[in-house]
Amino acid sequence: MGDGSSLEAPSRGKARVGSASWLDALLVLCAVVSGGMTLLVAGFVARESTRVLWVVGLSRWFTDPSWHPASGLFNALPMVVGTLLTSMLALVLAVPAGVLSAAWARWVAPAWARGPYRALVALLAGIPSVVYGLWGLTVLVPAIARVQAPGSSLLAGALVLALMVVPTIALFAESALASVPAPLLQGAAALGLGPWATLRGVALPAARPGLVAAVTLGAGRAVGETMALLMVAGNVVELPGSVFDPVRTLAANIALEMAYATADHRSALFATGSGLLVIVALLVLVADRAQRARA
Amino acid sequence: MIPLLLLACASDSGAGSDSAPVRLTLTGSSTVAPLVSELAKRYESQNPGARIDVQTGGSSRGVADAASGTADIGMASRAQKQDDPADLVFTPIAQDGIALIVHAENPVAELSREQVVSIYTGGIASWLDLGGADLPITVVNKAEGRSTLELFCHFFKLEAAAIKASVVIGDNAQGIKTVAGNPGAIGYVSIGTAEYERDHGTPIELLPLDGVAPSVASVKDGSFPMSRPLNLVTRGQPAGAVADFIGFARDAAQHDLVAGQYFVPVD
């Protein structure tokens, strides 16, 4: 790898010859360290998973009667479904809100409001998830419980998650909308299209790759979110029959049980962590595809 | 001969802890840890140079770390079990009780053991059947592996897998907030924490068990049935600095710290 770059460098540009060799080495080192960390973590999680995978195999993760790892029952399907459902429901709420608020900031908002708006969104993105969780547990969950007990539910989880994902989507959507070429918008105006038609018919399609990346990043945050969901989603390992039923997500499960888990139970938690890694890797892949389509 | 010499050296360095700085690591139960942190602070202030490091991670971790030697002392909010390593020594420093809690607005004043079992296994689903309001019961349960769940199941002779929960929680604080926010909820948490929260205005009520009101006092006199010892766990009989700290923790001079955490001192 190092040989390849030092051979290539002189042939590409004379300006880099000689003086850049130590910089090259430093950059390679940084790249290897950050890439290697990811591989080490993935490798460690996979290795810790194998113990239980040898014993349990693959199919029992979906066919066992329940999730009681201390008693040797490993059905993780409700948690996979719970993770996907909370994330998707949160995105259904957060994507329109994020994209529309970005469009508002970009084209509709008066100039003086844009700075404070961006500061607010950035602030929203910076609030620790445990604070959202505490708000959800003490305000949102009792409010939902008044409609339908127990309150801690898929709905509560999705609402809190949506609130957390909106700023991510809004920030990335705004930069995607900013990249829409001005002539397109001028053309739309020349055709006499209203703001809504311009947004739907011209701006959003033109910004599509960037928007897909924004949504994927939001989805990545949603899938991995732990503390807030642990506090509001109810954490019962069962397939929810409605949005008022509790769910447990994969990440919340690890946080909830890891401190007390030993032996096969501990290994089972690493295995669910591997599952989570696979889901996030797929999302990164999709985001990468979307970014390339734009380039 | 050599092992004997080594042993002599080890006990020497233990006895000479005045000269060498004392460093102890304790890991384990999140129920015991706040008390031990307070004890450690006082111990450090009375023994300059001493460093006591307290980490949480549950009773199981405390026992495992004491057995493996990762920690000098493990913390466990349970009694010794049959399948714990035989060379471990459990020394109680306090007693803790678990109470059933409901929302303060709930008119139900007492539940029998059978009723509690029926609620937690999905038999009784409405407070109406228990003389309360026409509200569905929200069953708040602890996550798998928690010692509170273990004691609860052991006391009511329940299988963890048989419990039909509406909400699963992690620590006591989350349990109290969940019950305080839901008039139909029932849960179980440490008596000390529950009593403290109730006395400071949190809308929860503690339910009596077998006719005994749960309180720090009734745990102390042994009349409250659902209680557990808080133990410090060592591999073999404690010696040297470890024995010194455990002796300090059990001393009557520290009972104010135990009471401050709403636990009950042992004599």
Side-chain angles (χ1 to χ4, degrees), chain A residues 77-79 81-82 235-241 245-248, chain B residues 163-165:
Chain A
L77 182 65
M79 292 188 282
V81 172
N235 306 317
V236 178
V237 190
E238 257 168 45
L239 289 171
D245 283 345
V247 291
R248 187 185 297 188
Chain B
I163 292 178
K164 298 215 174 357

Side-chain angles (χ1 to χ4, degrees), chain B residues 3-62:
Chain B
L4 268 179
L5 274 175
L6 283 177
L7 209 67
C9 290
S11 59
D12 251 353
S13 67
S17 60
D18 289 337
S19 49
V22 174
R23 294 187 76 95
L24 291 178
T25 305
L26 290 88
T27 67
S29 163
S30 61
T31 311
V32 188
L35 168 60
V36 169
S37 297
E38 291 299 314
L39 290 166
K41 265 185 228 156
R42 188 176 284 177
Y43 186 81
E44 284 170 348
S45 70
Q46 292 179 10
N47 298 271
R51 279 284 309 276
I52 312 246
D53 187 21
V54 183
Q55 297 166 12
T56 58
S59 298
S60 312
R61 183 182 163 199

Side-chain angles (χ1 to χ4, degrees), chain B residues 106-124:
Chain B
N106 195 326
V108 174
E110 175 151 21
L111 295 170
S112 69
R113 291 197 189 201
E114 292 71 31
Q115 286 171 327
V116 173
V117 169
S118 182
I119 289 171
Y120 269 84
T121 50
I124 301 175

Side-chain angles (χ1 to χ4, degrees), chain A residues 67-71 134 137-138 142 145 149-150 152 230-231 234-236 246 248 255-257 259-260 262 265, chain B residues 30 57-61 64 136 138 143-147 160-161 165-170 174 177-178 181-182:
Chain A
W67 170 264
H68 287 99
S71 322
L134 202 57
L137 183 58
T138 52
S152 307
L230 175 65
M231 293 167 88
N235 306 317
V236 178
R248 187 185 297 188
L256 204 56
E257 297 187 354
Y260 299 87
T262 49
H265 185 186
Chain B
S30 61
S59 298
S60 312
R61 183 182 163 199
T138 296
E144 181 114 331
R146 305 255 163 183
S147 65
S166 337
V167 179
V168 176
I169 52 147
Q174 193 187 358
K177 285 201 177 65
T178 301
N182 184 340

Side-chain angles (χ1 to χ4, degrees), chain A residues 79-95 154 157-159 161-162 165 169 215-216 218-225 229 247 249-251 276 279-280 283:
Chain A
M79 292 188 282
V80 175
V81 172
T83 306
L84 296 179
L85 274 181
T86 41
S87 297
M88 286 194 306
L89 200 55
L91 286 178
V92 165
L93 299 167
V95 169
L154 171 59
L159 285 174
L161 212 47
V165 168
I169 292 178
V215 172
T216 327
R221 177 153 195 216
V223 166
E225 175 47 42
L229 283 173
V247 291
T249 66
L250 288 169
L276 206 52
I279 294 177
V280 173
L283 282 172

Side-chain angles (χ1 to χ4, degrees), chain A:
Chain A
M1 188 191 247
D3 283 354
S5 62
S6 58
L7 278 176
E8 265 175 343
S11 66
R12 272 197 197 155
K14 279 171 188 163
R16 293 182 57 203
V17 178
S19 68
S21 64
W22 64 270
L23 188 63
D24 261 12
L26 187 70
L27 293 179
V28 167
L29 185 75
C30 290
V32 166
V33 165
S34 55
M37 280 299 193
T38 315
L39 288 180
L40 269 178
V41 169
F44 177 78
V45 172
R47 198 195 71 188
E48 294 292 315
S49 313
T50 51
R51 173 189 170 131
V52 79
L53 287 176
W54 284 125
V55 180
V56 178
L58 274 180
S59 64
R60 278 184 56 199
W61 294 90
F62 305 102
T63 56
D64 268 2
S66 66
W67 170 264
H68 287 99
S71 322
L73 299 172
F74 294 100
N75 188 351
L77 182 65
M79 292 188 282
V80 175
V81 172
T83 306
L84 296 179
L85 274 181
T86 41
S87 297
M88 286 194 306
L89 200 55
L91 286 178
V92 165
L93 299 167
V95 169
V99 172
L100 287 180
S101 76
W104 175 83
R106 182 92 208 123
W107 293 308
V108 185
W112 60 264
R114 283 177 201 170
Y117 162 82
R118 281 206 193 89
L120 269 179
V121 172
L123 183 71
L124 209 57
I127 295 177
S129 64
V130 68
V131 174
Y132 285 107
L134 202 57
W135 172 80
L137 183 58
T138 52
V139 179
L140 188 62
V141 166
I144 295 175
R146 248 170 267 138
V147 181
Q148 171 113 39
S152 307
S153 56
L154 171 59
L155 180 64
L159 285 174
V160 168
L161 212 47
L163 202 59
M164 300 177 63
V165 168
V166 158
T168 310
I169 292 178
L171 289 174
F172 280 90
E174 211 197 328
S175 80
L177 292 177
S179 70
V180 174
L184 280 184
L185 301 172
Q186 288 156 359
L191 287 171
L193 293 183
W196 185 241
T198 308
L199 183 68
R200 258 188 55 190
V202 180
L204 290 187
R208 193 164 167 267
L211 292 176
V212 171
V215 172
T216 327
L217 282 165
R221 177 153 195 216
V223 166
E225 175 47 42
T226 308
M227 266 322 283
L229 283 173
L230 175 65
M231 293 167 88
V232 304
N235 306 317
V236 178
V237 190
E238 257 168 45
L239 289 171
S242 79
V243 291
F244 293 108
D245 283 345
V247 291
R248 187 185 297 188
T249 66
L250 288 169
N253 180 54
I254 295 173
L256 204 56
E257 297 187 354
M258 189 46 112
Y260 299 87
T262 49
D264 280 357
H265 185 186
R266 183 170 178 277
S267 181
L269 293 182
F270 273 106
T272 58
S274 301
L276 206 52
L277 267 181
V278 170
I279 294 177
V280 173
L282 288 176
L283 282 172
V284 170
L285 222 62
V286 171
D288 197 48
R289 277 282 171 83
Q291 292 281 21
R292 275 193 203 169
R294 172 157 74 163

